[in-house]
Amino acid sequence: MNSLAVTGVIPNLFVQTHFSTWTEFEYMASYEDKLPNTKGRSDMEMPWAAWNGELKINRDVTKELFGEEYVPKED
């Protein structure tokens, strides 16, 4: 999950990530306090902790990293 989030395959609510840009970990972690789902949990970390299924995946990044055959059909 973390690798998919850092590369931008799964977007999140607060920090835009992409495999071709660097985002400081401290900057991403600073948003953990704003998440309702991480309070007291050590197993959920930014940036993937801010993703939810409603955000789906970034189809363009997925295609660029993994190829067309790994991009699921739209719902």
Side-chain angles (χ1 to χ4, degrees), residues 3-73:
S3 296
L4 293 174
V6 169
T7 57
V9 171
I10 57 173
N12 72 73
L13 297 170
F14 299 106
V15 181
Q16 184 173 5
T17 57
H18 193 272
F19 67 92
S20 67
T21 60
W22 178 257
T23 304
E24 292 290 331
F25 176 77
E26 291 80 16
Y27 176 74
M28 287 188 286
S30 70
Y31 284 91
E32 287 179 349
D33 292 337
K34 295 175 175 46
L35 297 172
N37 60 343
T38 60
K39 302 294 189 234
R41 294 190 61 178
S42 62
D43 62 330
M44 298 182 77
E45 298 178 336
M46 281 293 284
W48 69 268
W51 177 79
N52 64 51
E54 292 175 2
L55 295 173
K56 305 205 184 208
I57 64 168
N58 184 323
R59 300 173 68 74
D60 294 332
V61 172
T62 304
K63 186 178 357 176
E64 192 168 348
L65 289 175
F66 303 109
E68 183 83 35
E69 63 274 9
Y70 291 100
V71 179
K73 303 281 187 239

